[in-house]
């Protein structure tokens, strides 16, 4: 799977609890990549969305939490290439 597919899977398994982009990257071992761009693409395509929550990131700053959307769940379960 490519980076977007791996990140979407992380959001899929987190479900309603959601993840920050950094948390998703940590789960997928993608911290050394441009994970924030891939998460931005997932949001732009409607697969994940901000839920209004924040959590502290590794730098100690608040980061927005995203959750998977219905469209994202469908793509993750169907195995559509992203």
């Amino acid at each position: 799977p490519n980076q977007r597919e791996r990140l979407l899977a992380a959001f899929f398994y987190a479900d309603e609890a959601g993840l920050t982009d950094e948390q998703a990257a940590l789960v997928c071992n993608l911290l050394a990549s441009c994970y924030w761009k891939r998460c931005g693409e997932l949001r732009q395509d409607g697969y994940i969305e901000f839920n209004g929550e924040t959590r502290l990131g590794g730098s100690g700053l608040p980061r927005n939490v995203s959750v998977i959307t219905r469209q994202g769940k469908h793509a993750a379960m169907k195995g559509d290439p992203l």
Side-chain angles (χ1 to χ4, degrees):
N2 63 37
Q3 290 180 359
R4 286 174 42 136
E5 291 167 337
R6 291 168 60 188
L7 289 164
L8 184 62
F11 285 103
F12 179 82
Y13 289 110
D15 199 31
E16 306 259 336
L19 297 168
T20 65
D21 294 357
E22 183 180 25
Q23 288 173 322
L26 183 62
V27 167
C28 299
N29 197 27
L30 293 175
L31 283 176
S33 72
C34 297
Y35 64 86
W36 60 91
K37 290 182 183 179
R38 303 294 81 81
C39 290
E41 292 167 356
L42 291 172
R43 272 188 289 280
Q44 184 177 12
D45 292 342
Y47 293 128
I48 62 173
E49 63 188 6
F50 293 127
N51 70 354
E53 291 180 38
T54 60
R55 296 182 188 148
L56 290 182
S59 66
L61 297 172
R63 302 293 180 207
N64 292 316
V65 175
S66 293
V67 294
I68 194 164
T69 64
R70 179 176 290 152
Q71 180 181 350
K73 286 180 182 179
H74 185 263
M77 290 188 305
K78 193 174 173 190
D80 289 342
L82 304 179

